[in-house]
Amino acid sequence: MSYHLNSTRNYHLHRIETLGWELTVSNALNPAGSPCRRIIKKNKSYGQLLYDYLDCLLPMLKIRHILEIGGGYGYLMKDILTCHDPVKKATMLDISPFLLEKQRETLAGFANVIYRCEDFLETEPETLAGFDLAIMNENLGDFPTVTGIDPQSIFNPHRDKMDIILKKMSHFIEKYDLAMPASSFMNINIGAMEAVEKLCAMSIPYIFLSEHSCEAAVPEKYKRLIRISQLSQPERIQLKGHDEYTMKFSHLESIARAFGYRIIRGPLADFVEFQWTNRLRVIMMAPSAANDEDETIRQFIEDLYKYEYLLLMKENMG
Ligand SMILES: C[S@@+](CC[C@H](N)C(=O)[O-])C[C@H]1O[C@@H](n2cnc3c(N)ncnc32)[C@H](O)[C@@H]1O
């Protein structure tokens, strides 16, 4: 029963000095002068675009207390608080003291923001009562992933001999009837599943999740222009000082469905819409990027499809 557990906990607690190496879609759109802003339909930041999208789908007037887990530099919450009058309170929960400090700086102008420095996997579920919307943007891949395990080892009849990680895995696979790969090894986003299960179990009415997906696909008509790989298993992404894993969204969907959530799933391109200009076609068709700006744009367009989101809705708000 050998396996490896990928964890970014120590990195986030003690070693992180910047998010600059992880060009998230949110960070890519943050500077108003970013070249990525020039190719999208509405010249807005990621948070503003997400807000516009949520505003079409959710009863935003009823959303009073928002929880953001793993908010990075805090740009997304700043945009939401700027757009959204009725928010009475926001809570930023992050494992990294360094990034929580950055969030304090970014959100300094807003009253009623609570900061919680904690590992969400250790958060007491009862402390999640009362949130109307929870957001986890581009961070589920940081949560622990079990890699290189033989799927058969999970069906061990000697359960008492299993370690805590294996017990958790068999809990998820059996309880949510998760599809298993045909191969003799498996990578599984155990931490992300635990996080989503915790949010769903507390019946938070609305949950927004986004991350780099291993199941992402490009619409047929764009396949010549946007080339991304689709795998059935979470894939390792090597970053400075730590590794992350892409997300198997179908597993997260199964958990949310079991808790009775209605689900919208799609690529970030659903709400970060862009225009196919001649210039963009040339950039995407070229065998390699002509300069740094073109490279940034190519990566950004690919990311709009590589990253998927789940919007989970449980219509029990008063
Ligand atoms: C890649 S950054 C994403 C930041 C931001 N959401 C964005 O989209 O740009 C990952 C964030 O998740 C946080 N994080 C990672 N593991 C966590 C955990 N177990 N509990 C709470 N926060 C965590 C990190 O400290 C960081 O703020």
Side-chain angles (χ1 to χ4, degrees), residues 6 12 32 54 60 63 67 74 78 86 90 103-105 111 120 131 139 147 152 180 194-195 234 236 277 283 294 303:
N6 184 68
H12 282 107
L54 295 180
M60 292 305 272
I63 291 175
L67 168 67
K78 183 176 182 187
Q103 293 164 25
R104 269 182 211 279
E105 288 166 20
F120 184 59
F131 290 110
N139 52 28
T147 67
Q152 291 312 315
M180 303 289 280
E194 205 174 327
R236 180 179 176 203
T277 59
I283 292 174
D294 287 6
D303 282 350

Side-chain angles (χ1 to χ4, degrees), residues 8 12 16 19 22 24 26-27 68-73 93-96 99 103 118-121 137-139 142-143 244:
T8 65
H12 282 107
I16 189 167
L19 274 182
E22 307 181 37
T24 64
S26 160
N27 290 347
E68 186 176 2
I69 300 156
Y73 289 147
L93 185 158
D94 206 296
I95 193 173
S96 160
L99 289 172
Q103 293 164 25
E118 61 196 69
D119 180 342
F120 184 59
L121 295 178
N137 193 66
E138 296 190 49
N139 52 28
D142 284 316
F143 283 68
E244 292 180 11

Side-chain angles (χ1 to χ4, degrees), residues 175-298:
K175 180 163 181 194
Y176 302 111
D177 197 16
L178 302 182
M180 303 289 280
S183 60
S184 60
F185 84 99
M186 165 171 96
N187 298 338
I188 183 160
N189 310 110
I190 186 170
M193 293 197 286
E194 205 174 327
V196 172
E197 183 187 53
K198 192 181 278 191
L199 293 171
C200 292
M202 287 308 293
S203 291
I204 295 184
Y206 303 107
I207 302 170
F208 176 84
L209 311 166
S210 85
E211 188 48 290
H212 196 151
S213 169
C214 67
E215 299 170 325
V218 172
E220 201 53 45
K221 57 185 176 179
Y222 299 149
K223 279 197 171 147
R224 266 179 349 108
L225 295 160
I226 305 171
R227 287 169 288 266
I228 63 173
S229 53
Q230 189 183 32
L231 300 164
S232 58
Q233 300 245 28
E235 188 189 20
R236 180 179 176 203
I237 304 174
Q238 281 180 282
L239 293 165
K240 190 170 183 280
H242 70 295
D243 289 345
E244 292 180 11
Y245 276 80
T246 57
M247 202 47 47
K248 193 163 174 72
F249 272 86
S250 52
H251 282 177
L252 305 184
E253 271 191 279
S254 300
I255 296 173
R257 201 166 293 114
F259 282 95
Y261 278 84
R262 196 157 65 80
I263 300 170
I264 298 180
R265 173 177 174 179
L268 294 190
D270 277 2
F271 59 90
V272 184
E273 295 177 281
F274 60 92
Q275 204 91 48
W276 277 112
T277 59
N278 283 341
R279 178 169 175 256
L280 185 56
R281 277 177 201 280
V282 169
I283 292 174
M284 298 307 289
M285 293 280 277
S288 60
N291 52 46
D292 287 352
E293 180 170 318
D294 287 6
E295 181 54 40
T296 305
I297 290 173
R298 279 163 79 108

Side-chain angles (χ1 to χ4, degrees), residues 49-97:
L49 294 168
L50 175 60
Y51 183 86
D52 290 352
Y53 187 61
L54 295 180
D55 197 23
C56 296
L57 296 165
L58 307 183
M60 292 305 272
L61 286 175
K62 290 186 182 170
I63 291 175
R64 301 294 171 112
H65 195 171
I66 302 181
L67 168 67
E68 186 176 2
I69 300 156
Y73 289 147
Y75 299 147
L76 173 52
M77 186 55 83
K78 183 176 182 187
D79 291 334
I80 290 181
L81 293 177
T82 306
C83 295
H84 193 51
D85 281 347
V87 169
K88 295 279 186 284
K89 248 198 252 174
T91 292
M92 306 297 287
L93 185 158
D94 206 296
I95 193 173
S96 160

Side-chain angles (χ1 to χ4, degrees), residues 25-45:
V25 174
S26 160
N27 290 347
L29 286 175
N30 186 55
S34 155
C36 305
R37 286 266 198 127
R38 291 200 290 275
I39 56 163
I40 55 176
K41 282 188 183 169
K42 295 189 221 159
N43 183 350
K44 290 187 172 186
S45 67

